[in-house]
Amino acid sequence: MKACRAVQWAFAATAGAGSGTISGDEFLPGDITVEVGATIEWGVGSDEVHTVTFGDVPPAADPTAQAGFTGTPPALGTQDFDGTQFLNTGIFFKGATASVHFTAAGNYPFNCEIHPGMQGTVHVVAAGQPAQSQADLDAKAALTNTAI
């Protein structure tokens, strides 16, 4: 595995695969290793809506609430995440993006609040530790996409 400098990379990952009524509810890839300081941009690759949710859902929160946008799919922006807070994209759909900037090392499970069992983990390692390149992530995603 090749190490990459997190401050130089913004990684891309996908939620869902397929089109119409044929889709796979998987994160592509679902297991990601990056250095502290990396940003992962999630997009939706299927015709279904998804969420990317880190942490325990607070009692008053509705993680499946739509962000209130219409028309052209938006870029939902970038949020910092250190593993201590609840972070959620809300519902987003094909063409929309949401980015998470990882500021602390740790293992961070995430899930889609709409599709039970759709989950993954971001492993954030210290600078200089083995991490994945975008090519590594794309290869993993392609294997999962082929399997579903």
Side-chain angles (χ1 to χ4, degrees):
M1 218 176 326
K2 180 176 125 181
C4 59
R5 294 280 164 230
V7 294
Q8 298 173 354
W9 292 89
F11 297 95
T14 304
S19 62
T21 58
I22 300 173
S23 64
D25 293 331
E26 295 284 337
F27 287 103
L28 304 171
D31 190 63
I32 301 170
T33 302
V34 296
E35 287 184 358
V36 170
T39 297
I40 299 174
E41 178 183 80
W42 273 272
V44 176
S46 67
D47 291 332
E48 290 185 301
V49 296
H50 296 281
T51 73
V52 177
T53 307
F54 288 88
D56 295 326
V57 178
D62 180 2
T64 61
Q66 191 156 352
F69 46 79
T70 59
T72 304
L76 299 177
T78 302
Q79 295 293 315
D80 287 341
F81 184 73
D82 65 7
T84 64
Q85 75 271 31
F86 169 68
L87 188 142
N88 179 52
T89 61
I91 291 176
F92 71 131
F93 55 91
K94 194 170 196 171
T97 60
S99 298
V100 179
H101 174 243
F102 293 90
T103 61
N107 296 310
Y108 305 119
F110 61 95
N111 66 288
C112 174
E113 287 293 318
I114 300 167
H115 301 105
M118 186 175 171
Q119 57 197 12
T121 303
V122 176
H123 308 279
V124 182
V125 297
Q129 297 298 309
Q132 295 168 308
S133 68
Q134 185 65 56
D136 295 332
L137 297 175
D138 291 345
K140 274 177 94 168
L143 286 174
T144 303
N145 194 37
T146 300
I148 55 175

